[in-house]
Amino acid sequence: MFSSSKSKPNNKKKSKTSLFKRIMAWLHLWLGLASGIIVVIVSLTGCIYVFENEIKDFIEDWRFVKPQEKAFMLPSQLVTIADKKMKDKKAASVTFGGKDEAAIVGYFVEKKEESGKGEDKRGEHKRGEKKKDLAQNAKKEKGKEKPKGRRKGTFISVYMNPYTGEILNVKSFSRGESPDFFRWILNGHRALWLPYEIGRPIVGVAVLIFLVLLISGIVLWWPTKWIKSIIDKSFKIKWNASFKRVNYDMHNVFGFYSCIFLFFIAVTGLVWSFGWWSKSLYWITSGGKPLIENRESPKSDTTNIKVFNISTADKVLLKMRKENPQASGILISIPAKPADPIGAFVYKQKNTYYNMDRYSFDQQTLKEISIKTPFSGKYIEANIPDKIRRMNYDIHVGSILGLTGKIIAFLASLISASLPITGFIIWWGKQKFGKKAPAAKPKAASKAVPAAKLKNTASEVIA
């Protein structure tokens, strides 16, 4: 009877975990194992990329100059000097920073498509026919809006002393293979060093899974009872315990403390992975309004085409400086075609991008051209959903809160990289050591004691 009464509480213990929690535990385990390696790579590369600007400022001394008591050179002057250095290339932009920062003249060399292989003797004739077909197709497609894809090519930055025009350094990078360390880190972060068409969706799916893991993790972490002993286990790590216990606590406790930051990092990161996510997020923040994704640049008036005079960019810069005396930086884009406008990007705060003002001007008349996108115009005049969309990058890397926010993003990403590892150790430990050892067989009774001897022993005890 005693043994049967013992077995009943064991059955009750087994039924305490709800079906919902068991499902969450199953999802948490297998989704975590499936996405773990990708989450580790994305998190570690994110940790490094958060401090890109700070690290570059520390190791790249040619990004800075000695401040002087005179005005910066004009864009036309810097471009003239840089063009001689770059020979047949044409400048695409000029960027001015603070008084102690180098100016940057930017170039873009577009990647040319490779010609077809294995042409026969009539190759020249075929190319001629192909040109005719392309010309006819261009006429048919004229007026139709074409989707603007990723620009393929090499970006070149010529760093110059804005006071003297001295060239301090020339640096180039591409979105594919690039000698630039931080571009390599970004390629790993966004596409696992695979072609973007392949790697970006893989990263996106892994981040979506990670969001499910955050939710299921909170469900599993939630204390069954809010009493001191259970609360201590949920909020504190017992550092003096065994390795298995410390590893378990690190997974649970660090995961809980970082989950809210990781949620925002994951939600904002998915904007670059999936168009449907980007549109849905804007739809939610705007109260049901669609996202206007017009990637086309505003157009200059081409009815009276003249040769573009680079001195026109000087006028735009002087206008921007007058209107924004406290700006931390100004970028002036130089039009490459008659229909291209002159662009002006005014950065209000160093190393942040959300509160940037963006302008477009007709390259001949300097009349301001407006275009309706979340990133156009002045930040202060944008509506709430457009402001939130502009903040997306700065929220993702933590710079929305300055250096403090970057430190938080760094620590949260570091914890994110550790979660698949500590989770795997927990799972592996259960696989290896989780099975209970078989119950020890009861020892055989020692030699039987004769009844007569028992009686004598009992009588001796009583006596």
Side-chain angles (χ1 to χ4, degrees):
M1 287 180 68
F2 182 73
S3 59
S4 63
S5 63
K6 247 185 175 183
S7 62
K8 286 180 182 176
N10 288 340
N11 292 336
K12 286 181 181 178
K13 273 186 181 180
K14 287 181 182 177
S15 62
K16 274 185 179 179
T17 306
S18 66
L19 176 63
F20 176 67
K21 271 204 169 185
R22 290 202 297 273
I23 293 172
M24 287 292 105
W26 185 87
L27 285 173
H28 196 79
L29 169 62
W30 295 109
L31 290 178
L33 290 174
S35 63
I37 294 175
I38 298 173
V39 170
V40 170
I41 293 172
V42 172
S43 299
L44 288 178
T45 51
C47 283
I48 299 170
Y49 198 76
V50 161
F51 291 109
E52 176 198 14
N53 292 316
E54 287 76 10
I55 294 171
K56 282 184 175 180
D57 289 349
F58 182 73
I59 64 176
E60 298 178 347
D61 55 353
W62 37 264
R63 291 160 59 91
F64 297 92
V65 297
K66 186 178 180 180
Q68 299 182 26
E69 293 299 324
K70 63 178 183 178
F72 288 165
M73 295 178 72
L74 295 170
S76 58
Q77 296 171 312
L78 293 177
V79 167
T80 301
I81 297 170
D83 279 354
K84 288 179 181 178
K85 171 74 174 178
M86 302 307 294
K87 295 181 180 178
D88 56 338
K89 299 176 181 64
K90 292 184 179 179
S93 64
V94 183
T95 306
F96 294 90
K99 290 184 177 181
D100 63 340
E101 292 180 280
I104 305 170
V105 179
Y107 293 81
F108 177 71
V109 181
E110 194 168 359
K111 184 179 180 181
K112 294 180 180 179
E113 297 295 330
E114 293 183 4
S115 58
K117 295 180 181 180
E119 289 182 342
D120 57 17
K121 294 178 181 178
R122 296 173 296 171
E124 292 295 328
H125 176 67
K126 285 187 175 182
R127 277 197 292 270
E129 288 183 346
K130 192 174 181 181
K131 284 181 182 178
K132 288 180 182 178
D133 292 339
L134 288 172
Q136 288 175 359
N137 290 336
K139 287 180 181 179
K140 290 178 183 178
E141 295 295 322
K142 193 176 180 180
K144 291 184 182 179
E145 187 178 341
K146 297 179 182 179
K148 207 172 184 180
R150 294 175 60 83
R151 297 175 73 190
K152 294 182 179 180
T154 303
F155 297 86
I156 304 171
S157 298
V158 180
Y159 289 82
M160 305 177 69
N161 188 317
Y163 301 101
T164 65
E166 177 192 358
I167 295 177
L168 305 173
N169 194 36
V170 178
K171 194 171 183 180
S172 63
F173 71 87
S174 61
R175 285 197 172 104
E177 296 180 2
S178 174
D180 184 79
F181 173 74
F182 284 100
R183 173 53 56 173
W184 182 80
I185 287 293
L186 185 61
N187 288 340
H189 184 71
R190 294 193 64 188
L192 305 175
W193 300 288
L194 297 169
Y196 267 62
E197 295 76 14
I198 299 170
R200 190 163 59 175
I202 294 173
V203 170
V205 170
V207 175
L208 276 174
I209 291 173
F210 186 71
L211 277 177
V212 176
L213 292 173
L214 288 176
I215 297 167
S216 60
I218 289 296
V219 171
L220 297 173
W221 168 89
W222 198 264
T224 52
K225 291 181 181 179
W226 290 89
I227 58 177
K228 189 178 185 305
S229 60
I230 297 178
I231 289 172
D232 284 347
K233 290 179 182 178
S234 301
F235 290 94
K236 297 177 182 178
I237 297 173
K238 193 175 181 181
W239 293 107
N240 59 350
S242 66
F243 170 76
K244 287 178 70 176
R245 172 62 189 274
V246 172
N247 182 75
Y248 181 83
D249 284 352
M250 287 174 66
H251 188 80
N252 283 355
V253 177
F254 283 161
F256 166 73
Y257 283 125
S258 63
C259 68
I260 187 66
F261 304 109
L262 292 176
F263 175 80
F264 282 107
I265 290 172
V267 166
T268 52
L270 284 168
V271 167
W272 293 291
S273 292
F274 300 116
W276 61 266
W277 180 275
S278 176
K279 292 175 183 177
S280 300
L281 191 61
Y282 187 88
W283 185 85
I284 292 169
T285 57
S286 66
K289 293 180 181 178
L291 172 64
I292 299 173
E293 284 191 310
N294 187 357
R295 288 176 174 267
E296 292 296 320
S297 300
K299 303 297 182 185
S300 291
D301 184 7
T302 56
T303 56
N304 186 20
I305 299 175
K306 299 176 185 176
V307 177
F308 175 70
N309 190 339
I310 186 64
S311 63
T312 312
D314 300 343
K315 297 176 183 178
V316 174
L317 175 67
L318 295 173
K319 174 181 171 66
M320 293 295 100
R321 278 184 183 163
K322 186 177 179 181
E323 295 177 359
N324 303 275
Q326 302 301 320
S328 68
I330 298 174
L331 182 151
I332 305 296
S333 70
I334 300 169
K337 300 174 184 177
D340 292 344
I342 301 174
F345 302 80
V346 180
Y347 303 96
K348 300 298 181 71
Q349 188 178 346
K350 187 178 179 181
N351 295 339
T352 58
Y353 303 96
Y354 73 94
N355 53 356
M356 174 188 71
D357 294 341
R358 180 177 177 178
Y359 305 87
S360 297
F361 300 96
D362 186 287
Q363 62 171 274
Q364 301 297 337
T365 64
L366 291 187
K367 181 181 178 182
E368 187 173 346
I369 309 166
S370 61
I371 182 171
K372 183 60 181 173
T373 69
F375 298 95
S376 299
K378 295 181 179 180
Y379 170 78
I380 196 170
E381 294 176 357
N383 56 35
I384 291 175
D386 286 354
K387 284 181 177 178
I388 293 173
R389 178 46 56 94
R390 290 190 185 202
M391 292 178 183
N392 193 80
Y393 175 80
D394 294 285
I395 293 172
H396 188 68
V397 300
S399 59
I400 192 80
L401 298 176
L403 183 60
T404 303
K406 286 191 170 189
I407 293 171
I408 292 172
F410 171 82
L411 293 175
S413 297
L414 198 60
I415 292 170
S416 173
S418 74
L419 292 177
I421 298 170
T422 53
F424 178 80
I425 293 171
I426 293 169
W427 172 77
W428 183 256
K430 286 180 179 179
Q431 296 301 303
K432 200 171 181 182
F433 308 109
K435 293 180 181 179
K436 292 182 179 179
K441 292 180 181 179
K443 291 181 180 179
S446 55
K447 291 180 181 179
V449 182
K453 196 169 183 180
L454 278 172
K455 284 181 183 178
N456 292 337
T457 308
S459 62
E460 286 173 6
V461 172
I462 293 168

